[in-house]
Amino acid sequence: MAKLTPVGTSPRAPKSIPAAPSQSSQSSLASAIFQRPLSLYLSAALFRIVLILYGLWQDANSPIKYTDIDYLVFTDAARFVARGQSPYARETYRYTPVLAWLLLPTAYQTGSPFWDAVWFSSGKVLFAAADLVAGWLLERVLIMGRGDARPMDVPTARKFAAIWLLNPMVATISTRGSSEGLLGVLVMALLWAVMARQVTLAGLLLGFGVHFKIYPFIYAPAIVWWMDRERIAGSDAVAPTKVLNRIMGFFTPSRIRLAAVSLATFMGLNITMFNIYGAPFLTHTYLHHVTRIDHRHNFSPYNTQLYLASAFPDLSALRIESVAFLPQLILACVLIPLVVAKKDLPTAMLAQTFAFATFNKVCTSQYFLWYMILLPLYLPGSSFLKTKRLGVSALTLWVASQGLWLQQGYELEFLGRSTFLPGLWLASLGFFLVNCWILGIIIGDVLIRSKVS
């Protein structure tokens, strides 16, 4: 006879109970990483330490080096400075002397191969540490909230900050010796200072950032446009009513202070460097970038034109590399700030950076970090997360178009096959179009949210 079971119970129920705690414990383990800052930041730090150690092994045992060629340029310049010479004695050093000064420990020699390798890698440690600081500042900005987004709770903010902190591309680029992580710190600190209404600090950071890497100047129009009287309350007078007064009222004390402090910081650093290093400082740090024709590792559609310009310098009277900056400046410094900045400053800065890198005549993988640090500020509430198919499609196309370019670049540089036309040029054009499509979605999201609100 079958055994009767009371209603609401099951003879197999006890056997199915253990599955639930197992899933719950896994969820708790995952969420614990974001509940405590030590878990997330220690994981990010260990990730970078492993990559630095692996890089030492690969450099010693493989013909394909892990260390980026730019890091060798930085450290060579630091050695010249350590000897009392100019960093520009190192050919192809095109950066502010501040970078060479920061990397002076890499020039320290002990006579021990082990400790020499440690000191040589100290610059990579600095760049990796900058990644972590940038991630922490990113978390702070997310918690503050911005535009039409409410302040985030801390665990959620850390989840989005992890997009930067645990990103393999970010960690790899920094541990290979790229200094872009330092720019991430400066940009996020600038954004935090602006949103916290710390105008003087924002001016100092903006001036130093432009001196360090030029491109942060694109943020000035967006920040100034965002800093209207309603946002900088208490420091400016009541808004005027007449048209002429409205025009004059644009020049508020906060905007004037930001412009004055940033310009004074920028000019002060430049005058100091010019007094120390003379004309080579201006030539290599600033003027070179107007006429540069770097075509190696360049994802830009200008790649082929730059190659022709370098191979046949007298081919054309019109040098495209000297005017290529016009479209990107109009888009990044005028149109995007006017349309987006007042609605959502962080997303405006992301769109500016994305446009600037996409339309730049030179676009290497390091430039991707310029906008990746700002990406987590935009993603909450974005179309890419709301519509998963769109997000997956955008990521797939962005990665695949890069892969196609890298395949053509590999054949060119490692196999010696001429892939400039049509392969490399079509791959560059495809990557450019994918980026333009993504940029359109980013700007469209802000416009749609502003209409709804």
Side-chain angles (χ1 to χ4, degrees):
M1 179 181 294
K3 185 177 180 180
L4 296 177
T5 303
V7 176
T9 63
S10 171
R12 296 189 179 184
K15 297 182 180 180
S16 62
I17 290 175
S22 175
Q23 294 174 359
S24 176
S25 62
Q26 291 176 3
S27 177
S28 299
L29 181 62
S31 62
I33 296 178
F34 304 107
Q35 291 288 345
R36 295 190 296 266
L38 181 62
S39 301
L40 174 60
Y41 290 93
L42 183 60
S43 299
L46 289 175
F47 184 25
R48 286 159 174 78
I49 290 171
V50 168
L51 288 176
I52 290 173
L53 294 177
Y54 168 77
L56 291 174
W57 178 88
Q58 181 172 325
D59 287 346
N61 295 277
S62 174
I64 301 176
K65 305 303 180 184
Y66 183 83
T67 299
D68 194 292
I69 185 65
D70 286 345
Y71 189 70
L72 302 181
V73 174
F74 302 158
T75 53
D76 285 349
R79 276 191 284 274
F80 279 112
V81 172
R83 299 171 191 157
Q85 299 175 272
S86 168
Y88 303 106
R90 204 301 181 185
E91 189 178 358
T92 73
Y93 184 78
R94 315 292 189 188
Y95 313 89
T96 171
V98 173
L99 180 57
W101 295 356
L102 289 173
L103 296 182
L104 277 174
T106 64
Y108 187 65
Q109 296 288 321
T110 64
S112 165
F114 173 78
W115 287 110
D116 287 349
V118 170
W119 284 111
F120 177 76
S121 300
S122 62
K124 297 180 180 180
V125 175
L126 173 64
F127 300 153
D131 280 352
L132 304 186
V133 176
W136 180 80
L137 288 168
L138 175 60
E139 179 188 327
R140 295 299 96 193
V141 174
L142 284 165
I143 292 171
M144 289 172 64
R146 88 281 182 251
D148 54 1
R150 296 179 180 179
M152 265 186 195
D153 61 273
V154 175
T156 304
R158 288 198 187 115
K159 288 179 182 179
F160 281 98
I163 296 173
W164 167 267
L165 290 167
L166 302 180
N167 191 312
M169 177 179 285
V170 173
T172 300
I173 288 176
S174 292
T175 55
R176 291 186 67 218
S178 172
S179 63
E180 306 305 332
L182 297 175
L183 266 296
V185 173
L186 290 173
V187 170
M188 289 311 303
L190 170 63
L191 179 57
W192 176 88
V194 171
M195 298 187 67
R197 278 67 172 175
Q198 301 293 325
V199 179
T200 301
L201 176 59
L204 290 169
L205 290 167
L206 180 59
F208 181 75
V210 176
H211 169 81
F212 195 86
K213 195 69 174 184
I214 303 179
Y215 89 87
F217 81 90
I218 66 176
Y219 302 133
I223 292 171
V224 168
W225 190 236
W226 182 85
M227 290 175 59
D228 54 27
R229 295 176 184 276
E230 291 77 13
R231 290 187 174 88
I232 312 296
S235 61
D236 299 328
V238 178
T241 55
K242 295 182 179 180
V243 175
L244 180 60
N245 286 342
R246 284 182 179 274
I247 296 174
M248 296 302 297
F250 176 83
F251 299 96
T252 62
S254 296
R255 284 168 169 158
I256 293 172
R257 192 182 352 150
L258 178 76
V261 173
S262 60
L263 183 61
T265 303
F266 176 71
M267 293 305 299
L269 287 168
N270 288 342
I271 291 171
T272 301
M273 299 303 168
F274 182 80
N275 286 336
I276 298 174
Y277 298 110
F281 160 69
L282 292 178
T283 301
H284 295 287
T285 305
Y286 297 115
L287 300 180
H288 161 76
H289 296 280
V290 178
T291 58
R292 63 184 298 195
I293 51 177
D294 302 349
H295 60 87
R296 293 172 64 87
H297 314 137
N298 183 2
F299 290 87
S300 170
Y302 292 106
N303 185 315
T304 303
Q305 173 61 33
L306 296 180
Y307 169 75
L308 293 174
S310 64
F312 308 101
D314 299 325
L315 183 64
S316 174
L318 176 63
R319 301 300 297 269
I320 190 67
E321 65 273 12
S322 299
V323 296
F325 63 89
L326 291 176
Q328 70 178 149
L329 291 187
I330 293 172
L331 185 59
C333 297
V334 180
L335 298 179
I336 291 176
L338 286 175
V339 173
V340 183
K342 279 188 180 292
K343 300 176 179 66
D344 188 339
L345 179 60
T347 301
M349 292 174 63
L350 167 65
Q352 286 180 283
T353 314
F354 203 95
F356 189 86
T358 299
F359 283 81
N360 199 32
K361 64 183 176 183
V362 177
C363 179
T364 65
S365 57
Q366 288 91 333
Y367 291 15
F368 302 159
L369 268 63
W370 294 0
Y371 52 79
M372 289 181 74
I373 184 61
L374 294 161
L375 184 63
L377 300 174
Y378 153 75
L379 282 178
S382 69
S383 295
F384 296 119
L385 289 189
K386 289 180 179 178
T387 308
K388 292 184 179 180
R389 182 177 297 179
L390 177 64
V392 172
S393 298
L395 180 61
T396 301
L397 286 173
W398 190 74
V399 173
S401 57
Q402 282 185 65
L404 179 61
W405 190 97
L406 291 171
Q407 185 269 332
Q408 294 293 313
Y410 174 81
E411 290 195 16
L412 174 67
E413 295 194 17
F414 289 90
L415 303 182
R417 299 172 184 168
S418 180
T419 59
F420 282 106
L421 290 172
L424 196 64
W425 183 76
L426 288 177
S428 299
L429 187 60
F431 184 61
F432 173 78
L433 293 175
V434 168
N435 282 325
C436 289
W437 173 62
I438 294 174
L439 178 61
I441 294 174
I442 294 172
I443 296 175
D445 276 350
V446 177
L447 299 180
I448 292 172
R449 288 201 303 264
S450 64
K451 289 181 180 180
V452 171
S453 59

